[in-house]
Amino acid sequence: MLITDAIMHGMPPHIAQLVAGHRDINTTMGYKAVYPEEVINGHRAFIARRRALRPSQEYRTPTDAEWEEFLGHFERRRVALGDCGRAYGTSCIHEHSCIRCSLLRPDPAQRIRLAGICDNLRDRIAEAQQHAWAGEAEGLKVSLAAAAAKLTQMDELAGRQATAVELGMPAFAQTASRTVTAPAVLPASREA
């Protein structure tokens, strides 16, 4: 009853699973037939109760300027090689050196552009070594290694997108517990 009551009053089922010590969420959900609508309504009520305990100014409607700034953050995350994954309200910690940044989510469609950047970096490294600019060459090598890693990431992403995923869905014959056969059709009786 504790698990049923907790879920019905908004506790997320995965938290109830941990409280009960169940290894499988299906065990937890088996204590009561909880329908998705009940869970959603219960969770909304739970959130409403939690919000009632917090200061109301945290739940005010944002001003137009705040909303525009929020939306602008996501527009500014688009860069030439993909999307920047940095969180809202944070600035770029790599001074827009996106190739080196682990938060760059590369777009496989930009592979040619990134391959060109790698070629350019190799040329610049050769020039720096020719002029004995050791510091310049070292920095460019770091950028080249990061760009090569992004190329690999792009190729893996493109490979995953092009590969069909086998979901392991059983065939009907595997799921049916028994085979149903049609009854034999008897000839219609003749009336003389």
Side-chain angles (χ1 to χ4, degrees):
M1 288 181 62
L2 169 73
I3 299 301
T4 300
D5 191 51
I7 292 173
M8 293 302 296
H9 285 89
M11 180 181 280
H14 67 282
I15 301 297
Q17 174 190 358
L18 294 173
V19 168
H22 297 148
R23 289 188 181 137
D24 187 358
I25 189 89
N26 293 321
T27 304
T28 308
M29 296 305 285
Y31 279 88
K32 180 187 179 295
V34 179
Y35 299 98
E37 185 177 332
E38 292 174 318
V39 173
I40 291 167
N41 290 338
H43 188 65
R44 285 181 179 158
F46 173 76
I47 295 296
R49 287 191 303 276
R50 290 278 307 267
R51 284 186 174 173
L53 299 175
R54 298 182 64 86
S56 62
Q57 64 269 22
E58 291 184 13
Y59 300 104
R60 66 177 176 74
T61 302
T63 65
D64 289 340
E66 290 170 330
W67 187 245
E68 288 299 319
E69 194 277 326
F70 176 75
L71 294 177
H73 165 79
F74 296 100
E75 292 171 3
R76 289 186 300 273
R77 288 182 4 168
R78 186 78 181 133
V79 294
L81 297 174
D83 289 307
C84 176
R86 73 180 189 276
Y88 171 71
T90 61
S91 59
C92 180
I93 59 173
H94 294 105
E95 298 176 3
H96 302 285
S97 180
C98 298
I99 291 174
R100 293 183 179 190
C101 185
S102 62
L103 296 176
L104 173 67
R105 293 180 297 208
D107 179 5
Q110 299 300 322
R111 191 182 193 295
I112 293 171
R113 176 188 295 268
L114 186 55
I117 290 171
C118 287
D119 292 341
N120 180 272
L121 286 167
R122 284 186 198 94
D123 294 342
R124 291 177 61 198
I125 290 169
E127 178 188 16
Q129 288 172 338
Q130 181 182 13
H131 289 65
W133 300 331
E136 182 78 10
E138 200 62 35
L140 291 170
K141 287 177 185 177
V142 171
S143 293
L144 180 59
K150 293 294 180 195
L151 274 174
T152 302
Q153 188 179 359
M154 281 182 174
D155 292 341
E156 289 172 355
L157 181 60
R160 283 194 308 267
Q161 290 174 345
T163 305
V165 176
E166 174 59 43
L167 296 177
M169 297 298 291
F172 178 74
Q174 295 170 323
T175 59
S177 60
R178 61 188 170 98
T179 304
V180 178
T181 58
V185 178
L186 299 174
S189 62
R190 294 185 189 172
E191 291 187 32

